[in-house]
């Protein structure tokens, strides 16, 4: 299995401090040809799927529980000042509610879907979704410390389909 070690980067915005959430590093003690445990979290093709390090699973689960609880509590108390600019910028990290399960996730803006919707890449799971921009929120600093957990992988020997984009975010 070959893992991409690209870092996810972000752009600064006037309303949001510069955030740079690096990609989770592979275990330092593992050498080429050795094995380590992963959890497959998103499969697009044999040449493009996303995994998480099993060793980080408890940290991520705890972070996601706190993120969801914090964002839901803020919404109930109507603390909805997102401190995000009116116009999203590609590369901005946000907290966003995934439409499929209504839970909150860490995400990075990867495009504009329409005048009101953004395309997001969920940095811990490798999913792409579209959400209404007004329902995204600033990613609080306590949720920026854990590296992005979605590691892009491919099966060894599988050549990417020339018709499929190999961008991290598609």
């Amino acid at each position: 299995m070959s893992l991409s070690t690209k870092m996810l980067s972000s752009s600064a915005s006037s309303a949001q401090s510069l955030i740079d959430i690096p990609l989770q590093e592979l275990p330092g003690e593992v050498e080429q040809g050795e094995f380590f445990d992963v959890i497959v979290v998103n499969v697009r093709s044999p040449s493009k799927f996303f995994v998480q390090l099993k060793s980080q699973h408890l940290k991520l689960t705890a972070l996601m529980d706190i993120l969801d609880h914090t964002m839901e509590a803020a919404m109930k108390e109507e603390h909805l000042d997102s401190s995000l600019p009116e116009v999203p910028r590609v590369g901005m990290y946000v907290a966003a509610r995934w439409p499929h399960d209504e839970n909150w996730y860490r995400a990075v803006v990867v495009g504009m879907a329409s005048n009101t919707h953004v395309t997001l890449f969920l940095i811990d799971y490798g999913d792409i979704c579209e959400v209404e921009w007004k329902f995204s929120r600033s990613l609080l600093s306590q949720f920026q410390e854990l590296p992005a957990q979605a590691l892009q992988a491919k099966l060894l020997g599988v050549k990417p389909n020339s018709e499929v984009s190999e961008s991290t975010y598609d």
Side-chain angles (χ1 to χ4, degrees), residues 3-158:
L3 298 175
S4 170
T5 57
K6 293 181 184 174
M7 288 186 59
L8 302 174
S9 61
S10 73
S11 302
S13 74
S14 57
Q16 184 181 34
S17 62
L18 179 63
I19 299 173
D20 187 21
I21 300 177
L23 191 58
Q24 177 65 51
E25 292 183 15
L26 299 178
E29 68 279 359
V30 176
E31 295 186 24
Q32 187 171 354
E34 291 187 39
F35 295 96
F36 55 93
D37 293 331
V38 297
I39 300 168
V40 177
V41 292
N42 186 305
V43 177
R44 298 199 189 139
S45 73
S47 65
K48 187 170 189 175
F49 56 94
F50 293 86
V51 299
Q52 298 167 345
L53 296 181
K54 189 173 181 183
S55 62
Q56 296 297 307
H57 184 70
L58 291 178
K59 287 181 188 176
L60 178 61
T61 300
L63 181 84
M64 291 295 103
D65 288 345
I66 295 167
L67 175 66
D68 195 58
H69 177 75
T70 301
M71 299 310 294
E72 286 301 315
M75 288 191 64
K76 287 178 184 169
E77 296 173 13
E78 296 189 27
H79 292 123
L80 299 178
D81 175 21
S82 72
S83 69
L84 290 174
E86 259 185 61
V87 179
R89 294 188 197 151
V90 170
M92 293 176 64
Y93 287 88
V94 297
R97 189 182 268 172
W98 192 38
H100 296 294
D101 66 6
E102 298 297 313
N103 288 324
W104 289 86
Y105 294 91
R106 302 186 309 164
V108 62
V109 175
V110 295
M112 292 296 300
S114 70
N115 289 339
T116 58
H117 288 73
V118 292
T119 304
L120 301 174
F121 175 76
L122 304 184
I123 66 172
D124 298 308
Y125 297 92
D127 292 294
I128 298 281
C129 67
E130 290 181 10
V131 299
E132 202 168 346
W133 178 241
K134 69 181 182 179
F135 295 119
S136 297
R137 299 289 176 259
S138 288
L139 189 59
L140 301 173
S141 61
Q142 71 191 75
F143 304 116
Q144 300 170 21
E145 294 175 13
L146 185 69
Q149 297 297 300
L151 299 169
Q152 186 176 329
K154 68 178 182 177
L155 295 177
L156 188 62
V158 175

